[in-house]
Amino acid sequence: MKRIFFFDGSGPPFGHMLLALGGYLGGFDGNFLWNRIGAEYSTNVPVWSLRLLPALAGALSVPMAYQIVWELGFSHCAAVGAALLILIENALITQSRLMLLESALIFFNLLAVLSYLKFSNSQKHGPFSPSWWFWLVLTGVACACAVGIKYVGVFTYLLVLGVAAVHAWHLIGDQTLSNVRVLCHLLARAVALLVIPVLVYLLFFYVHLLVLCRSGPHDQIMSSAFQASLEGGLARITQGQPLEVAYGSQVTLKNAFGQPVPCWLHSHQSTYPVIYENGRGSSHQQQVTCYPFKDVNNWWIVKDPGRHQLVVNNPPRPVRHGDVVQLVHGMTTRLLNTHDVAAPLSPHSQEVSCYIDYNVSMPAQNLWRLDIVNRESDTDVWKTILSEVRFVHVNTSAILKLSGAPLPDWGFRQLEVVGEQLSRGYHGSTVWSVEEHRYGRSQEQKERELELHSPTQTDVSRNLSFMARFSELQWRMLTVRSDDSEHKYSSTPLDWVMLDTNIAYWLHPRTSAQIHLLGNIVIWASASLATLVYALLFIWYLFRRRRRVCDLPEDCWLRWALAGALCAGGWAVNYVPFFMMEKTLFLYHYLPALTFQILLLPVVLEHISDHLCRSQLQRSLFGALVVAWFASACHVSNTLRPLTYGDRSLSPSELKALRWKDSWDILIRKY
């Protein structure tokens, strides 16, 4: 709302943009600190409009559940059952009533599946008709929206792609279609399901970066070039800097890795201890570290090894890829150096220091060859902000690297910098970029120290292209790890299936009213059982068909298999990957998988009624059981209503009654 850049490692920006759209429609000005869970909203926060789009997405999921089961070829009764189960599931209601993204993710997951089913069904009647194109393109757009809300949306996207690939494979074998016709079908699917989703996904980031044009605290994790493209912040500091680094340039060097924190190459008067705590010795040279704050000791002067001067010639003589340079620390005038001495915390790497001549048998080794990583040719000039460079030590071939280990108190807890033996692989910890840059004009040290604090006047545009900013932001989102510490309400995927966890979302500060993310145990257990029954029946039918025994007509079998691929497959692809994720997990991560599982439940019930109940009496008894089961699900949903809506206070006896699972666990342990 304030157009300030922010970084959220939880996923792409489309979901946040939807919430912001609701705030914009409600006149929200962005003036509220979202820094404490449970804080009272101020009067300027339009809570209703901020919750509008998630609630709308949750509400629309109900008719879409009906449509999906109907398009799969099952009865009106089964479709209504799926819609009603989605309607009364407490966890889905809770999640859609708050400013959260899962309901929107579920909506676009269902929309992608529904659109593909409608496209597939229209394939039989009117291929390449307007409705055929509409549903095919909408499938791709919905998949892009799901991925654009959360990365886990890619699981449903891959599921749809897999089903589409199987259908395309059958299409290729259709002898009634000409080669040209088959090629047109394949091209249409490739454009709609591959090209369009990529373009829509890029569009989300284009709007995101177009809106968030101002610098903020989160841009510190981005590269200097990215920061300089934002209004204020680094762009204000670097305005007017020379573009080309020349001999005599005064520069600050920022490490491209940005972890554990963004930092700059730094030195100061202090030296390494003669003897470390573990008994190893050091060179006792001047310390070189990486410092996470802007400081005058971050300035270095690029020196030509063949000359003594520390100023820029007129005209400037630019530094190019492959040139050998010396880096002179601006405030102490000592040269960056490394040698065959073990680093303090990384004994397999070389110590990096600023050389002090102690008149001992340790000569200076301070020549560095410039390696521009993102060069376009071997004659590229070293450029401010834009060039990503490595410094390769001429004598030992070691490369200047941020190890990231914090030094002890004698190193002021700054980060260790080492010389690592040169490898061909790229890693951000070995890459540096010039962030601040000015042409040195003063040869005398005192004048130069004053010069380090003064701005330059040369104006050079340094705007990054959209694709460069998108690539960097996307890479940061995928690689920067969030805080994975344990949480009071964190859980494991095994806890989700049997609903062995919940999340307390809100507690009223003065009454006992509260909101919990808590599912309907009847629906969750029944959905899990239905998935198991489907798997067993599918395997049984598959073995029987292998023996040339067809228990189901061909059209029923294809309908049964497609329902399993989309519903049971949708549950599996949205659930199993969480077992391999090293992150803090919560119950709401299971909701997309649960939604597909709920869709499978009425499908299995109808199949049992139509194909396994052989007499009318059996069907009647089974129908009565289904009605009783659904009544119990409605009863549980109504019982949990106070915790779902949080609209009334609860007495101690009511709270105790709602903790039925605790009583059940105590009973099991007792007996």
Side-chain angles (χ1 to χ4, degrees):
M1 301 306 303
K2 292 186 174 182
R3 308 192 69 177
I4 295 174
F5 176 80
F6 70 93
F7 177 84
D8 189 345
S10 67
F14 182 54
H16 301 96
M17 290 161 60
L18 288 176
L19 296 179
L21 175 62
Y24 175 79
L25 295 175
F28 182 43
D29 56 9
N31 289 319
F32 183 79
L33 291 177
W34 309 85
N35 58 354
R36 185 170 63 86
I37 295 175
E40 292 288 334
Y41 289 119
S42 55
T43 55
N44 68 308
V45 180
V47 178
W48 187 89
S49 64
L50 283 166
R51 292 178 176 175
L52 173 63
L53 291 177
L56 189 61
L60 291 176
S61 298
V62 176
M64 276 201 296
Y66 172 89
Q67 284 287 317
I68 288 173
V69 176
W70 177 257
E71 290 293 332
L72 283 170
F74 293 90
S75 68
H76 171 74
C77 184
V80 170
L84 289 176
L85 290 173
I86 296 291
L87 180 67
I88 65 173
E89 169 46 46
N90 298 79
L92 296 178
I93 297 172
T94 301
Q95 203 71 9
S96 64
R97 294 186 71 248
L98 304 175
M99 293 173 225
L100 301 169
L101 301 179
E102 275 67 31
S103 62
L105 173 63
I106 291 169
F107 169 80
F108 285 111
N109 281 346
L110 296 181
L111 181 60
V113 172
L114 174 61
S115 300
Y116 183 79
L117 286 173
K118 286 188 172 291
F119 155 75
S120 181
N121 291 334
S122 64
Q123 170 77 22
K124 306 168 187 175
H125 311 294
F128 299 102
S129 64
S131 63
W132 184 91
W133 277 108
F134 173 79
W135 291 116
L136 178 59
V137 171
L138 185 59
T139 302
V141 172
C143 288
C145 291
V147 179
I149 290 174
K150 285 197 170 186
Y151 287 125
V152 292
V154 77
F155 301 142
T156 301
Y157 179 34
L158 293 176
L159 174 70
V160 172
L161 282 181
V163 174
V166 172
H167 287 171
W169 182 253
H170 290 305
L171 198 68
I172 293 173
D174 189 346
Q175 296 296 322
T176 64
L177 299 176
S178 66
N179 292 340
V180 174
R181 193 76 167 176
V182 170
L183 181 61
C184 291
H185 274 287
L186 296 179
L187 286 176
R189 285 161 172 78
V191 170
L193 299 181
L194 295 174
V195 177
I196 289 180
V198 170
L199 294 177
V200 173
Y201 186 75
L202 288 173
L203 178 63
F204 297 150
F205 277 87
Y206 182 81
V207 175
H208 178 69
L209 293 172
L210 186 66
V211 172
L212 303 185
C213 59
R214 297 172 183 167
S215 175
H218 285 196
D219 62 17
Q220 291 296 317
I221 199 172
M222 310 304 292
S223 70
S224 300
F226 192 101
Q227 294 180 54
S229 68
L230 301 172
E231 297 176 7
L234 184 61
R236 184 179 67 252
I237 296 172
T238 60
Q239 183 178 6
Q241 290 189 158
L243 177 63
E244 295 184 347
V245 178
Y247 290 105
S249 287
Q250 301 167 354
V251 299
T252 62
L253 296 166
K254 184 180 181 182
N255 189 266
F257 192 39
Q259 293 186 26
V261 291
C263 61
W264 292 261
L265 190 66
H266 177 94
S267 187
H268 40 244
Q269 292 282 358
S270 301
T271 58
Y272 291 109
V274 177
I275 301 295
Y276 296 127
E277 290 86 346
N278 58 9
R280 289 192 297 112
S282 79
S283 66
H284 198 45
Q285 299 284 333
Q286 181 172 302
Q287 296 175 16
V288 171
T289 64
C290 207
Y291 190 49
F293 301 99
K294 294 185 182 296
D295 187 84
V296 71
N297 280 312
N298 297 346
W299 284 94
W300 299 81
I301 302 169
V302 181
K303 181 181 176 295
D304 183 351
R307 301 189 180 188
H308 294 291
Q309 65 183 34
L310 299 177
V311 296
V312 175
N313 292 335
N314 191 11
R317 191 159 56 96
V319 183
R320 299 182 182 275
H321 169 74
D323 286 352
V324 175
V325 301
Q326 292 175 315
L327 293 177
V328 181
H329 186 238
M331 298 301 290
T332 63
T333 67
R334 292 187 174 126
L335 281 73
L336 187 70
N337 181 84
T338 188
H339 36 222
D340 190 17
V341 175
L345 302 180
S346 306
H348 297 293
S349 302
Q350 293 179 190
E351 176 192 270
V352 174
S353 62
C354 279
Y355 184 74
I356 302 175
D357 188 1
Y358 289 123
N359 291 319
V360 295
S361 57
M362 185 181 286
Q365 298 181 14
N366 49 37
L367 299 180
W368 301 84
R369 187 176 68 255
L370 185 74
D371 177 26
I372 301 179
V373 178
N374 60 341
R375 64 185 181 278
E376 296 179 358
S377 71
D378 288 342
T379 59
D380 271 13
V381 173
W382 186 8
K383 295 178 180 178
T384 306
I385 290 178
L386 301 180
S387 294
E388 296 179 345
V389 303
R390 299 190 299 182
F391 296 98
V392 182
H393 193 236
V394 173
N395 299 81
T396 64
S397 297
I399 188 166
L400 189 68
K401 176 184 177 182
L402 167 68
S403 78
L407 295 169
D409 290 339
W410 54 256
F412 309 103
R413 297 293 173 181
Q414 296 174 17
L415 303 180
E416 182 190 43
V417 174
V418 300
E420 189 79 47
Q421 285 302 311
L422 179 60
S423 62
R424 296 185 179 181
Y426 173 92
H427 195 276
S429 61
T430 64
V431 178
W432 306 80
S433 63
V434 173
E435 185 173 89
E436 296 181 67
H437 175 211
R438 51 180 60 90
Y439 282 162
R441 303 296 182 187
S442 304
Q443 183 68 25
E444 294 297 325
Q445 175 64 11
K446 289 186 178 180
E447 295 178 4
R448 189 162 54 244
E449 290 179 9
L450 294 174
E451 189 178 52
L452 290 175
H453 295 87
S454 62
T456 57
Q457 301 298 325
T458 311
D459 191 11
V460 178
S461 176
R462 227 174 268 104
N463 291 328
L464 276 185
S465 66
F466 161 70
M467 286 306 299
R469 291 192 294 160
F470 162 75
S471 301
E472 180 179 346
L473 181 57
Q474 182 68 87
W475 177 251
R476 292 291 186 186
M477 286 181 172
L478 292 173
T479 57
V480 172
R481 293 176 62 90
S482 58
D483 183 13
D484 292 337
S485 59
E486 285 296 316
H487 189 278
K488 179 181 179 181
Y489 295 109
S490 62
S491 53
T492 66
L494 289 176
D495 296 329
W496 304 340
V497 178
M498 296 310 297
L499 198 57
D500 199 24
T501 182
N502 72 94
I503 304 176
Y505 274 160
W506 174 78
L507 302 173
H508 196 282
R510 292 176 296 277
T511 69
S512 59
Q514 48 197 280
I515 295 176
H516 287 251
L517 181 66
L518 187 62
N520 187 317
I521 187 63
V522 173
I523 295 177
W524 287 53
S526 302
S528 298
L529 180 61
T531 305
L532 178 62
V533 170
Y534 177 88
L536 294 175
L537 285 175
F538 182 82
I539 294 171
W540 171 254
Y541 290 146
L542 208 58
F543 278 118
R544 299 266 290 174
R545 290 174 70 86
R546 186 64 178 169
R547 300 289 297 173
R548 299 290 190 269
V549 179
C550 296
D551 300 287
L552 300 176
E554 189 63 21
D555 61 331
C556 291
W557 166 251
L558 293 176
R559 188 167 67 241
W560 175 250
L562 181 60
L566 289 175
C567 298
W571 169 78
V573 299
N574 283 283
Y575 175 59
V576 175
F578 285 104
F579 284 94
M580 296 171 280
M581 292 186 185
E582 295 180 357
K583 58 180 289 185
T584 306
L585 299 174
F586 297 93
L587 180 62
Y588 56 74
H589 287 120
Y590 186 61
L591 296 183
L594 174 71
T595 306
F596 284 103
Q597 208 175 29
I598 290 175
L599 296 180
L600 184 65
L601 180 52
V603 169
V604 171
L605 292 177
E606 180 173 297
H607 180 82
I608 293 174
S609 175
D610 292 349
H611 298 282
L612 301 184
C613 295
R614 303 191 179 279
S615 67
Q616 187 60 41
L617 178 61
Q618 288 177 336
R619 291 192 183 94
S620 299
L621 290 175
F622 183 74
L625 286 175
V626 170
V627 171
W629 164 82
F630 184 75
S632 66
C634 292
H635 174 71
V636 172
S637 179
N638 186 63
T639 302
L640 296 177
R641 187 187 186 283
L643 299 181
T644 301
Y645 292 90
D647 54 356
R648 68 180 181 87
S649 300
L650 296 170
S651 65
S653 60
E654 289 176 316
L655 284 173
K656 185 177 181 180
L658 289 171
R659 295 195 185 100
W660 60 271
K661 197 173 186 305
D662 294 343
S663 303
W664 183 255
D665 290 341
I666 293 172
L667 192 64
I668 290 175
R669 286 195 297 268
K670 183 176 180 180
Y671 295 101

